[in-house]
């Protein structure tokens, strides 16, 4: 306890707090710009932290990371564009809320959920890092394969209208994820002779295209209709209280999502992009009124935003305990630690224990600062976006998507992919294919393939071939969860029928 | 406009995509082939499933219900031209033209005043964002023929 | 609510100021040594384009910021080197060095861009890796570039392969490992970074040299392979010296595939010492577009050589497990040609290409 107090004292200096505030603000801006991800924001600032002392440098980087994951919710809620893959699920209920004129409430709800989730993630980091890291190491290729298959069962809840279309969309996403270099074998696959496709189709640009472009084209087609928001934008009162209650009145959803986020964050190779969808799925599954999800139910927002910010703390667990980064931004923090002369791993908890705990505490303080910044800027962000007339908003957002999808990898092809997938996404959406499953397939594809082929190679080497996928304890647990999750819609339908039957009788 | 059978169109889309990718798969090494092969088959099957459903219990809905379809298509066309041309012509010039034209096209009145205003707004936005992205964030934009 | 609205306006301005401060920090930390340059920069930012154009024709090179493209993920070996070089290079060249990323396809996306779409004015160079730039064009139908199209400037470091097992493993020495592999043919799994990487070929070369059969499991990047070892999912790792040093608490390094022992690992024997003629690893350097003029190549090469001599830089890299190399443009070209021949032979022997 003494060490935590010492750490607290060393973090609480004017300089640190100021740099962290700037870091969070910069992170939020980066996160809110579609295409500018948390990874890039952190990478950009790393060189400037070399000249700072380790605590200040790490606190600043942690603040940017937290801010960027949080910032993704603004564009998701206001213009249906996930600023980072961690806020895909935020669009499902956040944007409908904006359409209903409840955008401000949505932003505040996301802010409370994000800060709360972030705190739970950091608490997990401080108190549970050693056991969590041990469990994470037990996840080998077969387990990652099952994690991805479990992830695919989410399709059932994302594709509300037609399960068949959801599945088709999910498979289509998996297929698109195969473009590029094969993870095992190194073959060049499906690049259609375009050599920059060797890097694969960038998930972020497809994401921006699928979610944002159709919405913008629709707005362009309906440009002459009056804006809904004008009617009741100023009439809401007590939104702050409402948002607070949205998040904390039913704490089970919030806590469960944060725990999911913390754990998914710990797994190297899986981060906020998966956590937010898993949490959304779970919130919807356990909800008494699942049909309201996707139409502006704040509970969905709470689930996604608390889980994605919880991954921040979670992803630091394997980094600090084992030197294995739990997410791409954590990998960059790793580089920063190394160049500071700090070696991630057990040494951080012995020789450099003060720096380590200061870093953890600073992450905690970052969540609190983030809460205030979010609450103070939320209204203005909402107002700015709703006050801009559509005829300027639509071209400007398209401009941002072009800028953003280029900035991801400085690759012109990514922009073309973004626009084309935007058109395809619009057509598919009109045909009843929800973009969620397609994007889910795109994210899970590489994890599933690597897990399967690596596991197969391992199985072949140990002489048990494909059996390896069914014999390991964690695999078996994951299989059970997968079966449960896949059959849940049927279970629910059956129990509903029974209930109805009971009433009639 | 008449309602279309979306299952039929969606199913055809999936089947054609699967067949197209299947033809591109000839030379892969064994381990790189397992997964794509499985996925292509699944895409194909789900497409067939949709086609069957379209014959028995197809979902029908009217596509692209919009106030002003011409405007939507125009915006899509300009956007497409934008992303295809900016590498050749230069990012700043292309964006200025595309953004200005888009704002003008979407405006209610096509007066000269609106025309000038549109390009002023476009210029301001590009100036600000170009500065932030290229000078602060070090994103190198393609210069092309002009800028 | 009115108060709140006012304060939110205030916060927006704080926000904007924050961004400005952030950008100023970004500019000023890079130019702390020369305040005059910052002035010039401020002026330039008002109307930047024409000034930079006219500057181009002046005698001195370089006279504006230069771009250093990293073709691999941030946090990896290439990126760590570039970040460590950034400041010293700025000192030597006298201009800002801007590190940019062009990631994908195991480096191929960045290299094909360098070869096909980069102005050869000397203001843009990219990090490159051996054996990647040799193997990719060899095994891929269209990698987008050819090995000889990259104009090598300097090779400044290498990371020899090492063979590691978990610290608590029963395998204590390389001999134990070889014996274990002979007793259990095919059952020993070795994870490493990617397909057709130095790790992959290294594993195959060592298999041949030691007369053993192991299963190679490619991971995406050297970092991703580490949890597979620590979690006990594979028997061993074929990885780079840097990884062995990062995780020295959890790993036992059996041998290093270099000609001589590596300074950061004085106690680890080389494969050669133990009787296996196996030397393999990744080399890293910078290269320019094919048409880059020789005088500009020389400026870069001299700068890289000077940075390599800086004691602080050298120590930092060596402590991380890198081997410092000093291979200039001509020798680098020769080395690449030699290695290309060697790898072609190996790939043919292993039946990986026809």
């Amino acid at each position: 306890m003494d060490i935590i107090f010492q750490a607290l004292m060393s973090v609480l200096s004017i300089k640190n707090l100021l740099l962290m505030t700037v870091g969070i603000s910069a992170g939020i801006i980066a996160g809110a710009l579609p295409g500018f991800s948390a990874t890039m924001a952190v990478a950009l600032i790393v060189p400037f932290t070399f000249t700072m002392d380790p605590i200040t440098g790490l606190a600043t980087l942690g603040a940017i990371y937290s801010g960027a994951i949080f910032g993704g919710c603004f564009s998701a809620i206001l213009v249906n564009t996930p600023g980072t893959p961690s806020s895909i699920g935020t669009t499902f209920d956040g944007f409908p809320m904006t359409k209903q004129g409840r955008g401000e409430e949505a932003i505040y709800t996301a802010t409370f959920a994000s800060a709360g989730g972030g705190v739970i993630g950091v608490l997990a980091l401080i108190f549970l890092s050693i056991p969590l890291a041990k469990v994470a190491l037990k996840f080998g290729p077969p387990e990652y394969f099952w994690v991805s298959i479990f992830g695919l069962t989410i399709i059932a809840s994302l594709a509300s209208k037609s399960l068949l279309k959801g599945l088709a969309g999910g498979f289509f996403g998996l297929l698109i994820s195969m473009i590029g270099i094969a993870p095992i074998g190194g073959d060049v696959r499906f690049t259609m002779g375009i050599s920059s496709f060797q890097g694969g189709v960038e998930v972020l640009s497809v994401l921006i295209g699928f979610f944002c472009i159709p919405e913008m084209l629709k707005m362009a087609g309906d440009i002459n209709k009056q804006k809904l928001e004008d009617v009741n934008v100023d009439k809401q009162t007590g939104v702050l209280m409402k948002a607070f209650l949205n998040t904390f009145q039913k704490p089970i959803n919030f806590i469960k999502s944060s725990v999911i986020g913390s754990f998914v964050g710990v797994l190297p190779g899986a981060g906020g992009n998966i956590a937010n969808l898993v949490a959304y799925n779970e919130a919807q599954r356990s909800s008494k009124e699942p049909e309201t999800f996707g139409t502006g139910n704040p509970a969905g927002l709470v689930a996604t935003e608390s889980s994605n910010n919880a991954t921040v703390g979670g992803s630091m667990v394997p980094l600090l305990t084992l030197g294995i980064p739990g997410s791409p931004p954590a990998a960059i923090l790793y580089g920063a630690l190394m160049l500071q002369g700090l070696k991630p791993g057990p040494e951080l908890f012995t020789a450099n224990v003060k720096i380590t705990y200061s870093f953890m505490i600073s992450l905690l303080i970052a969540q609190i600062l983030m809460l205030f910044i979010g609450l103070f800027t939320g209204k203005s962000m909402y107002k700015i976006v709703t006050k801009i007339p559509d005829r300027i908003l639509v071209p400007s957002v398209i401009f941002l998507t072009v800028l953003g999808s280029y900035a991801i990898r400085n690759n012109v092809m990514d922009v073309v992919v973004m626009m084309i997938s935007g058109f395809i996404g619009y057509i598919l959406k009109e045909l009843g294919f929800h973009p969620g499953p397609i994007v889910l397939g795109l994210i899970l594809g590489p994890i599933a393939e690597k897990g399967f082929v690596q596991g197969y190679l391992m199985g072949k080497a140990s002489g048990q071939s494909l059996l390896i996928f069914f014999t390991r304890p964690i695999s078996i647990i994951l299989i059970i969860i997968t079966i449960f999750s896949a059959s849940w819609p049927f279970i629910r339908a059956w129990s509903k029928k029974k209930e109805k039957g009971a009433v009639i009788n | 406009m008449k309602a279309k059978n979306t299952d039929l169109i969606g199913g055809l889309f999936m089947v054609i995509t699967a067949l197209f990718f299947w033809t591109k798969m000839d030379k892969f090494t064994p381990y790189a082939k397992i997964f794509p092969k499985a996925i292509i088959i699944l895409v194909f099957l789900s497409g067939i499933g949709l086609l069957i459903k379209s014959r028995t219990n197809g979902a029908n809905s009217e596509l692209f219900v919009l106030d002003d379809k011409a405007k939507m298509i125009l915006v899509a066309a300009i956007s497409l031209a934008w992303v295809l041309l900016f590498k050749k012509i230069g990012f700043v010039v292309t964006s200025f033209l595309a953004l200005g034209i888009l704002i003008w096209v979407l405006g209610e009145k096509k007066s000269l005043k609106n025309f000038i205003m549109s390009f002023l707004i476009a210029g301001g936005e590009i100036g600000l964002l170009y500065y932030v992205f290229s000078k602060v964030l070090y994103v190198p934009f393609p210069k092309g023929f002009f800028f | 609510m009115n108060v709140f609205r006012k304060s939110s306006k205030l916060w927006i301005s704080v926000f904007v100021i924050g961004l400005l401060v952030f950008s100023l920090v970004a500019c000023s930390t890079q130019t702390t040594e020369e305040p005059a340059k910052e002035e010039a920069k401020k002026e330039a930012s008002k109307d930047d384009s024409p000034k930079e154009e006219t500057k181009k024709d002046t005698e001195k090179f370089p006279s504006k910021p230069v771009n250093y493209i990293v073709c691999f993920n941030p946090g990896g070996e290439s990126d760590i080197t570039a970040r460590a070089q950034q400041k010293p290079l700025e000192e030597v060249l006298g201009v800002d060095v801007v590190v940019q990323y062009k990631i994908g396809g195991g480096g191929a996306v960045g290299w094909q861009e360098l070869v096909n779409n980069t102005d050869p004015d000397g203001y843009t160079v990219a990090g490159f890796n051996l054996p990647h730039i040799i193997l990719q064009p060899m095994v891929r139908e269209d990698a987008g570039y050819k090995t000889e199209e990259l104009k090598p400037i300097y090779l400044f470091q290498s990371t020899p392969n090492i063979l590691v097992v978990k610290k608590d493993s029963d395998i204590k020495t390389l001999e134990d490992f070889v014996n274990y592999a002979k007793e259990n043919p095919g059952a020993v799994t070795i994870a490493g970074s990617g397909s057709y990487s130095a790790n992959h070929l290294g594993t195959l070369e060592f298999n041949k040299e030691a007369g053993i059969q192991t299963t190679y499991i490619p991971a995406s990047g050297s970092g991703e392979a580490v949890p597979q070892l620590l979690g006990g999912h594979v028997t061993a790792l074929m990885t780079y010296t840097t990884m062995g040093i990062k995780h020295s608490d959890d790993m036992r390094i059996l041998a290093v595939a270099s000609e001589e022992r590596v300074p950061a690992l004085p106690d680890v024997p080389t494969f050669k010492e133990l009787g296996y003629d196996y030397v393999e690893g990744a080399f890293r350097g910078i290269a320019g577009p094919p048409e880059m003029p020789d005088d500009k190549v020389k400026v870069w090469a001299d700068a890289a050589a000077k940075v390599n001599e800086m004691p602080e830089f050298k120590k930092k890299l060596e402590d991380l497990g890198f081997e410092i190399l000093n291979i200039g443009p001509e020798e680098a070209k020769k080395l690449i040609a030699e290695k290309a021949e060697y790898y072609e032979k190996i790939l043919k022997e292993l039946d990986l290409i026809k």
Side-chain angles (χ1 to χ4, degrees), chain C residues 152-199:
Chain C
I153 296 170
Y154 209 79
L155 281 166
F156 34 69
Q157 50 99 331
S158 76
T159 49
N161 276 358
I162 51 171
L163 185 67
V164 298
V165 292
K166 255 177 100 173
K167 196 127 217 176
D168 54 16
S169 162
D170 291 332
I171 297 167
K172 308 268 186 230
T173 63
L174 189 63
E175 213 188 325
D176 289 351
F177 181 84
V178 173
N179 288 338
Y180 181 70
K182 278 188 177 152
E183 281 158 29
N184 307 287
V188 171
T189 46
I190 299 180
S193 154
S195 300
Y196 298 110
S197 63
N199 291 163

Side-chain angles (χ1 to χ4, degrees), chain A residues 165 187 189 221 396 406 430 460, chain B residues 6 29 31-32 64 125 140:
Chain A
K165 276 181 183 162
D187 303 47
R189 296 189 300 198
S396 305
Y406 178 74
E430 289 290 313
K460 235 173 83 178
Chain B
T6 59
T29 53
Y31 293 125
F64 301 105
E125 261 183 52

Side-chain angles (χ1 to χ4, degrees), chain C residues 27-268:
Chain C
C27 296
S28 61
T29 14
Q30 292 220 328
T31 51
T32 31
E33 292 106 60
E34 288 168 80
K37 211 162 76 192
E38 209 189 330
E39 280 301 314
K41 197 169 191 174
K42 264 185 203 154
E43 227 167 68
S45 64
K46 276 177 207 153
D47 56 342
D48 33 58
S49 56
K51 276 209 169 148
E52 274 178 27
E53 292 301 314
T54 48
K55 265 184 199 167
K56 215 186 208 169
D57 297 316
T58 50
E59 285 281 303
K60 195 179 163 293
F61 174 84
S63 54
K64 61 171 186 181
V66 290
N67 301 315
Y68 183 155
I69 299 172
V70 173
C71 304
F72 290 88
N73 280 320
E77 287 90 359
S78 299
D79 177 54
I80 288 186
T81 318
R83 289 296 177 192
Q85 282 172 322
Q86 194 177 13
K87 287 265 132 76
L89 270 178
E90 282 175 357
E91 272 172 43
V92 176
L93 291 172
V95 293
D96 286 354
V97 175
V98 179
V99 174
Q100 289 166 349
Y101 298 93
K102 264 223 165 88
I103 300 159
V109 173
W111 295 322
Q112 62 97 6
E113 186 80 13
L114 182 77
V115 164
N116 299 321
N117 288 319
T118 305
D119 195 355
D121 59 359
Y123 283 96
T124 306
V125 299
F128 77 103
N129 298 26
L130 298 178
H132 305 56
I133 63 151
I134 297 170
L135 293 176
Q136 283 170 359
M138 236 177 241
V139 298
R140 292 183 190 171
E141 220 163 279
D142 177 24
Y145 69 96
K146 293 197 191 80
T147 308
E148 56 280 7
E149 278 180 313
L150 289 160
K151 189 150 192 170
I153 296 170
Y154 209 79
L155 281 166
F156 34 69
Q157 50 99 331
S158 76
T159 49
N161 276 358
I162 51 171
L163 185 67
V164 298
V165 292
K166 255 177 100 173
K167 196 127 217 176
D168 54 16
S169 162
D170 291 332
I171 297 167
K172 308 268 186 230
T173 63
L174 189 63
E175 213 188 325
D176 289 351
F177 181 84
V178 173
N179 288 338
Y180 181 70
K182 278 188 177 152
E183 281 158 29
N184 307 287
V188 171
T189 46
I190 299 180
S193 154
S195 300
Y196 298 110
S197 63
N199 291 163
H200 181 197
L201 281 190
T203 308
L204 300 178
E205 286 169 69
F206 177 62
N207 279 351
K208 205 166 123 256
E209 179 66 25
I212 54 174
Q213 225 185 327
T214 60
T215 305
Y216 178 76
I217 298 183
S220 311
S222 46
E224 211 196 89
V226 174
Q228 301 209 356
L229 179 76
L230 299 188
H233 307 293
V234 293
T235 325
L237 276 192
M238 188 65 82
T239 184
Y240 299 124
T241 41
T242 42
M243 279 293 152
I245 288 170
K246 273 182 197 169
H247 297 280
S248 56
D249 299 314
D250 306 306
M251 290 178 182
R252 178 182 298 128
I253 308 174
L254 300 177
V256 52
S258 53
E259 293 285 349
E260 277 156 37
R261 290 195 179 198
V262 177
L265 301 164
D267 304 326
V268 178

